[in-house]
Amino acid sequence: MSTVLNEIVSNYSYELLQTTLSSLQVTKNNIINEYLTRIMNHKDDSAYCDHELANFQVEVQKILAKYRMLIKFGPMLGLMGTLIPMGPALVGLAVGDIASMAYNMQVAFATTVIGMLVAGIGLCALQLNQRYYAGYLNDLEFIIAKITTE
């Protein structure tokens, strides 16, 4: 989708925009297609276009929220997974059961690593998606500026 918006922005003409819009009507399952279609259908109303742009930003924040949840819940669950086996590990240490203590410590450290891995994946996904959606937002703002002044 970004290549379509990049083409519209770099080679802007109203005819190209209309042609692209008619080809996008076939695949409406994309958030960009949906908002570009809405904006083009109300191109004479700049207030509506601005409202749709704000709605696009809200939808993007909803999409990005799942990645933010991974970033926050990964370490929380990792910490819980660390603290829960620590109790039995300390009991094993107190009674001299080194094998039990070692097993529980392995579980504790493994859950910490998994929690941080989940957070790292969430952070990478968030950064990547934020960059894409920021570009889409910039392109939609450009298109709105062009169609509302024509």
Side-chain angles (χ1 to χ4, degrees):
M1 183 63 206
S2 65
T3 56
V4 173
L5 283 178
N6 286 341
E7 182 182 343
I8 291 171
V9 170
S10 57
N11 303 319
Y12 180 78
S13 72
Y14 190 73
E15 293 76 29
L16 175 63
L17 189 57
Q18 288 292 13
T19 306
T20 305
L21 183 63
S22 61
S23 68
L24 292 179
Q25 297 289 342
V26 178
T27 59
K28 276 193 151 183
N29 59 348
N30 188 325
I31 185 173
I32 308 301
N33 297 4
E34 179 182 333
Y35 280 92
L36 186 59
T37 303
R38 286 184 197 170
I39 288 167
M40 285 302 297
N41 289 338
H42 296 87
K43 63 184 174 289
D44 298 327
D45 188 355
S46 65
Y48 181 86
C49 291
D50 290 340
H51 179 70
E52 284 302 313
L53 195 60
N55 284 341
F56 173 76
Q57 290 174 322
V58 169
E59 285 298 316
V60 166
Q61 291 305 314
K62 287 180 190 176
I63 292 168
L64 296 177
K66 61 186 168 190
Y67 302 116
R68 289 189 180 99
M69 293 287 279
L70 281 176
I71 293 169
K72 293 175 184 173
F73 279 123
M76 273 191 330
L77 294 175
L79 180 62
M80 287 173 43
T82 300
L83 295 177
I84 291 170
M86 286 292 228
L90 291 173
V91 169
L93 180 64
V95 296
D97 186 4
I98 302 299
S100 169
M101 183 196 78
Y103 173 75
N104 286 316
M105 292 303 288
Q106 284 178 340
V107 170
F109 291 131
T111 56
T112 302
V113 170
I114 290 171
M116 296 309 291
L117 179 66
V118 167
I121 291 170
L123 181 63
C124 291
L126 177 68
Q127 293 295 317
L128 182 68
N129 281 287
Q130 275 181 329
R131 231 174 279 133
Y132 280 125
Y133 285 119
Y136 295 154
L137 178 64
N138 187 38
D139 292 342
L140 286 175
E141 286 174 341
F142 173 80
I143 291 169
I144 288 172
K146 292 300 262 184
I147 64 172
T148 56
T149 58
E150 290 181 352

